[in-house]
């Protein structure tokens, strides 16, 4: 790592400090030390310079929700490959979900993830602990023990805690520990056996649908429980207009709730399952790469999700990177695994919203940096900012660079993307973690 690194002439966009201008950024020994007008940095001996002309320079992206699959599902992803994919996507911190095998419901498995990430990880990994043992929804984990090994919150992601009594107890403990509950909202009784959004497309394809109410029932219940317990509730992968409205009203009432939305729920509708996109790599007629939970919804939901981002109802964009093997996906629709490999396409597909003027660049970067960082306790360091003194986690991207997605080029083992073959405009060029270049695009 060069002791002094100057990132020169880039468009610095740091919503945490309200900075949006062409400037220089100086990094010394892994920390941001200075930010100011181009060509005016204090002189340094032994200086390396990156010319960032034409690039956006922003805090490294913070992903509140990804699946790194290790331990237990290393055929889908490992901490090494998942964090490489993160770096390629401009993410410098990723929070990993505990639906591994064994799950992250003990200090031992959680510590394994932390230690492996320290040795093999390319970016910072912050684990999320299970709410219940084995994610069975029956018995709480030793939440305070998990907090001691550094989980950033609790979730049974993939499953909902069906019992309101157990969820309310979990919220009491989580509140006492100062950590959020990260909530997978799905009434499994209602969604059970469903594969996609319940609507005209599911009717036409003859595939069992998952009604929007399956999500909204649990969002409503858990907002009520959050009000009761005072816990910080973070709603994961919001997908419906109704959920956005519930969260908006809860925020107005002063309930401590935050929420995230994924790039795919912001850009794809249920029609995508019928495979209207370019065919690549043996995609099936009903594209299992678009099978995800919660399912892709409708254009009205997308409009509500974007509105929610803009008015502050939705705080963060999180990938829900869910890598699977080709065996998991190259099968009939009903049998295929739910999930999208999302780390490496996130920025580019979101830049589509910017180029089409549905979202401004500042809001987008805020939702990828400083706002998700606020969901994570500052005991893990100040993230999502270029403030002097902070660790130099920095992403440089070209907002206008055109490219075509080819999943074979992914660093992730998960090639399961509905964006294969898509033409995108916007590409990560350099990612720095603690001042070290962890990814640099081929020129
Ligand atoms: O599509 C999904 N895949 N949704 C989830 O909630 C879990 C995830 C996975 O682990 O594959």
């Amino acid at each position: 790592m060069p002791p002094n690194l100057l990132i020169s002439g880039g468009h610095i966009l740091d919503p945490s400090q309200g900075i949006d201008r062409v400037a220089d950024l100086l990094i010394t020994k892994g920390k941001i030390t200075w930010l100011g007008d181009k060509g005016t940095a204090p002189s340094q001996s032994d200086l390396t310079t990156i010319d960032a002309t034409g690039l956006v320079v922003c805090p490294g992206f913070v992903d509140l929700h990804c699946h790194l699959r290790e331990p237990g599902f290393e055929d889908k992803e490992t901490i090494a490959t998942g964090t490489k994919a993160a770096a390629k996507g401009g993410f410098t911190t990723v929070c990993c979900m505990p639906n591994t095998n064994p799950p992250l419901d003990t200090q031992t498995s959680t510590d394994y993830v932390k230690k492996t990430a320290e040795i093999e990880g390319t970016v910072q990994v912050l684990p999320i602990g299970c709410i219940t043992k084995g994610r069975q929804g029956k018995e709480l984990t030793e939440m305070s023990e998990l907090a001691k090994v550094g989980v950033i919150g609790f979730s049974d992601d993939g499953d909902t805690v069906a019992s309101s009594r157990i969820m309310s107890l979990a919220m009491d403990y989580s509140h006492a520990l100062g950590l959020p509950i990260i909530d997978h909202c799905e009434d499994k009784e209602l969604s059970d056996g469903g594969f996609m959004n319940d609507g005209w497309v599911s009717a036409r394809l003859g595939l069992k649908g998952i009604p929007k109410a399956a999500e909204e029932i649990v969002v409503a219940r858990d907002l009520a429980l959050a009000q009761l317990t005072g816990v910080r509730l973070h709603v994961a992968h919001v997908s419906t207009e109704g959920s956005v409205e519930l969260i908006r009203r809860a925020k107005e009432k002063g309930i401590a709730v935050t929420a995230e939305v994924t790039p795919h729920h912001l850009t794809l509708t249920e029609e995508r399952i019928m495979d209207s996109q370019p065919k690549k790599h043996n995609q099936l007629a009903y594209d299992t790469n678009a099978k995800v939970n919660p399912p892709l919804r409708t254009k009205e939901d997308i409009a509500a999700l974007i509105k929610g981002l803009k008015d502050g109802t939705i705080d963060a964009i999180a990938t829900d990177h869910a890598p699977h093997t080709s065996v998991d996906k190259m099968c009939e629709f009903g049998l295929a695994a739910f999930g999208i490999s999302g780390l490496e396409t996130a920025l580019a597909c979101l830049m589509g919203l910017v180029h089409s003027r549905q979202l401004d660049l500042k809001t987008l970067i805020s939702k990828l940096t400083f706002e998700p960082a606020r969901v994570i306790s500052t005991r893990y360091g100040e993230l999502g900012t270029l403030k002097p003194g902070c660790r130099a986690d920095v992403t440089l991207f070209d907002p206008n660079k055109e490219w075509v997605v080819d999943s074979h080029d992914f660093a992730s083992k998960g090639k399961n993307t509905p964006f294969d073959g898509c033409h995108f405009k916007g590409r990560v060029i350099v990612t720095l973690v603690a001042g070290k270049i962890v990814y640099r695009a081929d020129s």
Side-chain angles (χ1 to χ4, degrees):
M1 176 171 57
N4 299 300
L5 179 66
L6 186 72
I7 301 176
S8 170
H11 169 187
I12 305 220
L13 195 44
D14 179 5
S16 79
Q17 303 183 79
I19 297 172
D20 185 3
R21 67 185 174 104
V22 171
D24 284 2
L25 185 74
L26 184 65
I27 294 168
T28 308
K29 294 192 184 134
K31 296 208 159 158
I32 311 272
T33 44
W34 179 91
L35 193 158
D37 289 343
K38 186 167 161 36
T40 65
S43 65
Q44 307 287 321
S45 58
D46 200 4
L47 182 71
T48 305
T49 302
I50 296 179
D51 179 6
T53 310
L55 304 182
V56 174
V57 177
C58 62
F61 304 152
V62 176
D63 190 3
L64 290 173
H65 189 150
C66 78
H67 298 268
L68 296 179
R69 305 297 192 206
E70 192 177 349
F73 302 108
E74 290 82 354
D75 52 340
K76 295 176 193 271
E77 193 77 291
T78 63
I79 289 168
T81 57
T83 56
K84 255 197 197 140
K88 214 168 154 191
F91 293 89
T92 53
T93 294
V94 295
C95 304
C96 63
M97 281 295 173
N99 59 341
T100 49
N101 186 21
L104 307 188
D105 60 358
T106 61
Q107 280 197 336
T108 313
S109 52
T110 310
D111 211 38
Y112 170 83
V113 168
K114 282 194 70 183
K115 298 261 163 60
T116 308
E118 276 159 26
I119 299 163
E120 295 174 14
T122 306
V123 305
Q124 172 166 256
V125 175
L126 299 175
I128 296 165
C130 292
I131 299 173
T132 64
K133 289 184 182 167
R135 300 170 49 251
Q136 296 292 308
K138 302 263 187 285
E139 202 184 335
L140 293 186
T141 53
E142 300 294 338
M143 294 170 84
S144 64
E145 298 297 306
L146 293 178
K148 276 187 209 147
V149 283
V151 299
I152 59 110
F154 299 98
S155 182
D156 276 359
D157 187 59
D159 286 304
T160 297
V161 178
S163 156
S164 306
R165 184 183 60 80
I166 291 176
M167 187 52 133
S168 130
L169 263 181
M171 287 185 179
D172 278 335
Y173 281 108
S174 208
H175 181 40
L177 293 165
L179 293 173
I181 290 283
I182 302 174
D183 207 5
H184 176 108
C185 296
E186 178 186 357
D187 183 323
K188 289 268 182 183
E189 255 180 28
L190 195 54
S191 69
D192 195 33
F195 310 126
M196 63 175 299
N197 184 47
D198 188 34
W200 74 268
V201 182
S202 65
R204 185 169 154 192
L205 299 184
L207 295 175
K208 188 168 179 339
I210 301 175
K212 296 178 190 184
E215 176 173 310
E216 292 156 6
I217 286 167
V218 181
V219 171
R221 180 199 73 171
D222 289 350
L223 287 168
L225 291 177
Q227 187 170 28
L228 177 72
T229 59
V231 76
R232 272 197 300 133
L233 180 70
H234 178 73
V235 183
H237 44 48
V238 175
S239 75
T240 78
E241 184 178 3
S243 297
V244 177
E245 192 45 37
L246 286 164
I247 295 162
R248 183 178 289 120
R249 273 196 259 130
K251 283 193 168 185
E252 279 163 12
K253 275 205 237 163
I255 297 172
V257 58
T258 52
E260 69 184 35
V261 60
T262 71
H264 45 270
H265 288 111
L266 283 168
T267 55
L268 299 176
T269 63
E270 57 187 342
E271 280 108 314
R272 179 63 191 79
I273 284 167
M274 292 190 288
D275 197 12
S276 55
Q277 297 290 317
K279 244 190 197 317
K280 279 206 86 183
H281 308 322
N282 302 321
Q283 281 174 6
L284 301 174
Y286 294 170
D287 191 354
T288 58
N289 287 321
K291 181 177 174 185
V292 67
N293 189 20
L296 302 174
R297 303 285 189 184
T298 66
K299 61 179 189 326
E300 289 74 24
D301 293 299
I302 290 185
L305 293 166
I306 294 174
K307 182 163 179 271
L309 278 174
K310 285 182 177 165
D311 71 13
T313 302
I314 300 181
D315 305 80
I317 299 175
T319 65
D320 194 3
H321 173 74
H324 288 292
T325 65
S326 56
V327 174
D328 298 327
K329 284 290 196 180
M330 289 288 288
C331 54
E332 71 183 70
F333 199 84
L335 296 176
F338 287 99
I340 289 175
S341 179
L343 284 166
E344 290 165 81
T345 51
L347 175 74
C349 87
L350 293 165
M351 281 303 293
L353 298 175
V354 175
H355 292 304
S356 60
R357 298 182 192 278
Q358 296 179 75
L359 201 63
D360 65 81
L361 186 60
K362 214 192 306 179
T363 304
L364 173 62
I365 299 308
S366 184
K367 305 290 174 184
L368 286 168
T369 58
F370 143 73
E371 293 192 73
R374 282 198 303 198
V375 176
I376 302 170
S377 157
T378 48
R379 85 174 85 146
Y380 305 98
E382 205 174 345
L383 303 170
T385 180
L386 298 176
K387 272 188 209 141
C390 289
R391 197 177 60 200
D393 291 353
V394 187
T395 295
L396 281 65
F397 68 90
D398 182 341
N400 296 311
K401 173 95 180 163
E402 295 188 29
W403 62 293
V404 178
V405 177
D406 183 345
S407 60
H408 287 140
D409 294 339
F410 280 5
S412 169
K413 287 191 183 188
K415 314 300 179 194
N416 48 305
T417 173
F419 296 114
D420 223 351
C422 285
H423 290 251
F424 281 144
K425 201 165 148 193
R427 188 145 210 195
V428 174
I429 304 296
V430 175
T431 307
L432 298 160
V433 171
K436 184 175 158 220
I437 296 177
V438 292
Y439 172 71
R440 183 169 226 155
D442 304 330
S443 46

